[in-house]
Amino acid sequence: MAGNSHRRGAVRKQGTKKGSVVGSGGRRRKGLEGKGPTPRAEMRPGHPAQRRAAAAAARAEQKRNAAKKAAEGPEIIAGRNPVVEALRAGVPATALFVALNIDADDRVTEAVRVAADRGISILEVPRDELDRKTNRAVHQGLGLQVPPFSYASPHDLLKAARESGEPPLLVALDGVTDPRNLGAVIRSAAAFGAHGVLLPSRRSAGMTAVAWRTSAGAAARLPVGMATNLTRQLQEWASEGLMIVGLDADGSVDIDSMNIDVDPLVVVVGSEGRGLSRLVRENCDYTVSIPMAAGVESLNASVAGAVLLAEVARRRRAAGRV
């Protein structure tokens, strides 16, 4: 037993056999520890299962956003002029509320006539009930009920653009919180040949009655989508071959000298105050500024968007692409 080199407690000397040696400093032990268990397939970036899981999560978030909008219930447009303007613009509505014993004028007469022509229910209600429905707004005896807006998915926007037979042109809004600006951008997008408008689900105006009315009915003709994460959606569209161009006061090129392909294209319009967010700007292929006369303040989001969209439309016409 005394000569057995494998006896219990014996120390193997360096060089006698391959393997651990005295003074290894624990390197062998650390090597055996490894890096922990292999992550599940859906947790590995780039794995097909991970992409499927991300797509499923995006769809689930889209459903939650839709459910949230539906839970908010219908909106009531209050006041004679706003109601008539909304009906003229073709804002979808489910009911026109008219106060009992209302002192009718031309606006009331027109509202009732247009609602009847469009098959919208006309309901006479006590004035105190109309007060309650409009949260005691100045309704002047008229209220128009507008259902929650139904948003398209980003996938549907791109699909519709590609099926149009024209080079895709989409507009994305980054933090535009004024519904009037939103409505104006939608109107400009429709006027200059865009195929859809994309909103982020957070920190953005939604398709309220004010946005509907400002769009002058364009929201009924142009699909409006909602993205859970705008930056990630822009990255996905870029991977689909779309060029991402952002409007920015400190843009890398100005609108006169920009030398970029205009199809397929996503125009990103920033917020009224801070412009593009950092992450969105970093994911733009180009940022474009609009030259203005000295001493003039910057344009608001909807006007700036209209200027760039008009230039894109002009270039497409010149190239014979539309």
Side-chain angles (χ1 to χ4, degrees):
M1 295 293 292
N4 186 354
S5 62
H6 297 288
R7 70 183 185 278
R8 189 175 183 180
V11 177
R12 183 181 294 128
K13 294 183 179 180
Q14 183 174 355
T16 58
K17 283 188 178 182
K18 293 182 179 179
S20 298
V21 297
V22 175
S24 67
R27 287 191 297 273
R28 177 66 176 166
R29 175 178 56 80
K30 291 178 181 178
L32 291 173
E33 289 176 358
K35 298 182 180 180
T38 301
R40 297 193 305 272
E42 59 269 22
M43 302 295 291
R44 289 180 236 162
H47 194 283
Q50 187 272 334
R51 291 197 292 268
R52 289 193 296 270
R59 288 193 297 270
E61 181 67 19
Q62 195 79 21
K63 290 181 179 178
R64 284 194 293 270
N65 289 332
K68 179 181 177 182
K69 292 293 181 184
E72 292 174 355
E75 182 181 359
I76 304 293
I77 302 174
R80 299 189 183 192
N81 284 336
V83 166
V84 170
E85 290 171 6
L87 288 169
R88 288 173 179 170
V91 173
T94 54
L96 173 67
F97 296 107
V98 182
L100 289 169
N101 302 317
I102 189 173
D103 182 15
D105 61 8
D106 291 343
R107 294 168 296 177
V108 175
T109 301
E110 181 180 355
V112 172
R113 177 179 55 79
V114 174
D117 291 344
R118 290 178 50 190
I120 299 171
S121 299
I122 302 172
L123 306 173
E124 285 191 290
V125 296
R127 187 170 290 271
D128 58 352
E129 182 177 346
L130 192 51
D131 290 340
R132 179 180 57 79
K133 287 182 176 293
T134 60
N135 291 320
R136 301 197 174 276
V138 182
H139 53 70
Q140 299 171 304
L142 282 185
L144 187 67
Q145 182 172 282
V146 180
F149 187 80
S150 179
Y151 293 95
S153 71
H155 172 77
D156 291 339
L157 291 184
L158 182 55
K159 181 181 178 182
R162 284 178 166 162
E163 291 176 350
S164 69
E166 301 173 350
L169 174 59
L170 299 170
V171 179
L173 303 185
D174 179 21
V176 174
T177 56
D178 187 335
R180 290 179 294 273
N181 266 337
L182 169 58
V185 169
I186 293 172
R187 187 175 184 178
S188 297
F192 296 116
H195 301 104
V197 174
L198 183 69
L199 314 177
S201 60
R202 295 181 295 174
R203 294 184 292 276
S204 173
M207 281 305 302
T208 63
V210 173
W212 261 110
R213 192 169 68 246
T214 310
S215 78
R221 304 186 301 273
L222 189 71
V224 178
M226 181 174 287
T228 303
N229 185 300
L230 180 60
T231 301
R232 185 166 62 235
Q233 187 55 54
L234 293 177
Q235 292 170 346
E236 290 182 13
W237 277 349
S239 70
E240 294 278 352
L242 278 74
M243 179 171 289
I244 314 298
V245 175
L247 265 170
D248 192 87
D250 299 318
S252 53
V253 296
D254 63 43
I255 198 170
D256 295 331
S257 59
M258 67 178 184
N259 184 23
I260 59 175
D261 194 0
V262 292
D263 57 323
L265 185 66
V266 180
V267 172
V268 188
V269 181
S271 68
E272 297 85 355
R274 61 184 178 86
L276 298 175
S277 63
R278 178 182 60 83
L279 287 176
V280 167
R281 185 185 298 107
E282 290 175 355
N283 281 279
C284 290
D285 295 297
Y286 292 92
T287 54
V288 179
S289 62
I290 299 174
M292 294 187 298
V296 178
E297 294 184 3
S298 60
L299 302 172
N300 70 14
S302 61
V303 175
V307 171
L308 181 54
L309 287 170
E311 177 63 14
V312 170
R314 184 191 68 79
R315 293 186 179 212
R316 289 188 168 193
R317 288 193 302 272
R321 293 171 178 170
V322 293

